[in-house]
Amino acid sequence: MSTIPQPLLASMVVIGAQYSPRPDAKQYSASLHAGCARLMSDVSAERLIQRNVHPHWLKQGDIITSRSSVSDLQIVFHMEMFNRFRARSAKFESIESSLQFKTLYASLIADQDFLQVKQESLLQALPPSNVPSQLQAVYRRWVEHETRRRILVAMFVLETQASHLLQRQACYRGTLTEDGLDLPFPTSADTWSCPDIFTWRALITSHEAFSLSELGSNLPSLDAFQSSLLTCYQIHGLGLSSDPAQHHLIYQPPKSLSQHTTRTHHALGLSTHTPLHALLITASESWLFGTKITDDAIWQKSKAKLREWTSSERAMRATWHATQLLRLSFQNQSGPLQQQTDAGGYLHDLWCLYVAALVCWAFGYGSTNAKAQPDMLADNEEVLVADYLDAMAVHDWKHIGNVARMSAGSTRGLLEWVRRKIGDVGMGGLLNGAEDVLFRLVEGESKLVEF
């Protein structure tokens, strides 16, 4: 650990603390993130604006680019990943990507030809025999270079997830093909984390390098990282189908993979078919990402938009994805709620659960055209969750409309279950106020959701 640069080590702790069972770990993580952000601000937007420097004219030492040290690239990614879904600030402007992230992302995209050529030249430099010193030297250069390639892929995955799950404009507005962005397909987890250089040589020499455009329909056996890339690639409609209406049918991650990847697939699916901002404004009584919506016209428009959506085909698609996501989370319960939600999961998991619960609530509200008012919550709301998910267990989104209206509207137990998950983990940032929103919906105390 002593060889890891301290700023990188700090950014690793920021992420790692989110998975700690210590009750104060997340508060510590947020404080450390704020300190790292101040440290990084020396080359941030404020300094560049003061100097009136355009990013295209920056020198290499002015800002972190594709040719900067690997540790600098990792720091930028760690900070951005935390900032998107777990940072303290929840203001609307905070959901946008940082200047450092945008600049590094653009630099890596512009440098993708170099990344590909360098990868090929490194493999050609493999020694003819397994001389440890020579093989170790090639391996070290390969690790550094492959890390840069994987950071590009990880940034694409993060940006795709953030732009869809938060419904904000993406950094990269073009497609993966028309504008020349053809991401390298990462090596397998076995190759990336192999135990010794001799095993690595055997795996890398048998590895067939290809890009996303060359993937076609013959999908290899995928690990979680590769699966996340393919899911994000295809949610753009650039893979096996160009019809946005078919996004939910394009790709189902193999069951042997982590369920977290499958949950992300359904989260992207439900966000594609949901007017998220209208949903959040209506359910939270005119709040959006920590900002009070004071314009009554926006408030009225959001309610009308959500009301129209509840009786649409898009609502059925979104609700199907939402129930699939919630079912995976509900069926995978074991141990304390904090461990259920965070252990081995992704930083956006709780946000996805929250949005999925609101989608089910809005669809059920529209289906019954009146508030579902069961007499009382069961002693264990999980009984109501199981009943609701059983009622909504249909093979395809087209059959969601056949579910009995009262069953579709019986979301009270589900809302309470998700509220308790969020409350027990004690999140801030994007989920500031989420527990209160769900509480008002559960108790029937919300006054502004009469849409």
Side-chain angles (χ1 to χ4, degrees), residues 422-438:
I422 294 173
D424 285 1
V425 175
M427 289 308 308
L430 282 175
L431 291 170
N432 276 338
E435 191 177 0
D436 291 337
V437 169
L438 294 173

Side-chain angles (χ1 to χ4, degrees), residues 150-213:
R150 293 174 81 89
I151 289 175
L152 169 59
V153 170
M155 294 181 86
F156 168 75
V157 170
L158 175 60
E159 179 59 19
T160 300
Q161 291 176 351
S163 61
H164 279 75
L165 298 179
L166 305 178
Q167 288 192 3
R168 54 112 169 124
Q169 192 169 10
C171 292
Y172 188 79
R173 298 184 181 91
T175 66
L176 296 183
T177 53
E178 293 175 358
D179 289 350
L181 175 59
D182 190 10
L183 294 173
F185 202 72
T187 55
S188 68
D190 290 340
T191 304
W192 177 243
S193 56
C194 61
D196 58 77
I197 56 176
F198 304 109
T199 302
W200 169 77
R201 175 174 186 146
L203 290 172
I204 199 63
T205 51
S206 61
H207 169 71
E208 182 180 354
F210 55 86
S211 62
L212 279 172
S213 64

